[in-house]
Amino acid sequence: MVGFKIISTDPLLRLLTFASVVMNFFFGGLNTYVVLFGRHFGGSIYYGILESMSAVGILLGMTVVYRQLKKLTVRQSYLIGNFGRALFMILTVVSYNQFWLFAIIYLLSFVFQGLTQVFETPMIQSTVGSDQLGKVMTCFYTLVSVTLPLGSLAFSFLADRFDLRLFLLLFALFYAGIFLLFLASHAFKKVDELQLS
């Protein structure tokens, strides 16, 4: 309960938790929709390629792109990651009928997703005292992880009603909204000077 209380009373932790919880809900939906993407493009081989693209994209974001941005503050890098994944997720809607263009843009959206994931833990660590960090991290990841299966379940029912492009557009709009929330948040300015070594 202590961890939940700390998260609920700290504006930055509230924003990070909200963003991560809803994002994981959409990722649960993406687990359902990526199968439908594969079917749309022609079968299981396309599904496999898209799954590979997401894994490679996250790896590149967490390593190569992260190293290129290490001179920036955590806040700047996190905003770049949020803007990039919103932009490229919107572009997936436009490229929906050309598989290889779609796949490359899909990969790039996950590059920026990987970049944002690098910075979540340092932002929490910079906000919470070391004596409470374990409690906060436990609560944070409990809240975040529970929404993934809920998203898969919800969107498995909605898949027949939601066009594939509509799902991508909703996901992109959520990313854009998160970018704007962090951009405008005064609480987020607490990590202005935070840099990773």
Side-chain angles (χ1 to χ4, degrees), residues 57-140:
I58 287 176
L59 180 62
L60 289 173
M62 296 180 90
T63 54
V64 177
V65 177
Y66 160 68
R67 280 198 289 267
Q68 298 304 312
L69 298 179
K70 281 178 72 173
K71 291 184 180 179
L72 300 179
T73 66
V74 168
R75 183 173 188 264
Q76 291 168 330
S77 298
Y78 194 74
L79 286 172
I80 289 170
N82 277 284
F83 178 78
R85 64 188 181 181
L87 173 64
F88 285 105
M89 192 60 75
I90 288 171
L91 291 176
T92 60
V93 181
V94 180
S95 61
Y96 186 70
N97 289 318
Q98 301 176 46
F99 175 72
W100 285 109
L101 180 59
F102 178 90
I104 291 168
I105 292 171
Y106 190 76
L107 179 146
L108 291 171
S109 72
F110 277 93
V111 167
F112 287 97
Q113 175 63 29
L115 178 64
T116 60
Q117 287 180 355
V118 173
F119 297 105
E120 281 182 355
T121 300
M123 284 193 286
I124 295 171
Q125 289 173 333
S126 71
T127 306
V128 181
S130 57
D131 57 326
Q132 302 293 343
L133 186 59
K135 296 172 185 175
V136 170
M137 295 298 287
T138 299
C139 292
F140 176 82

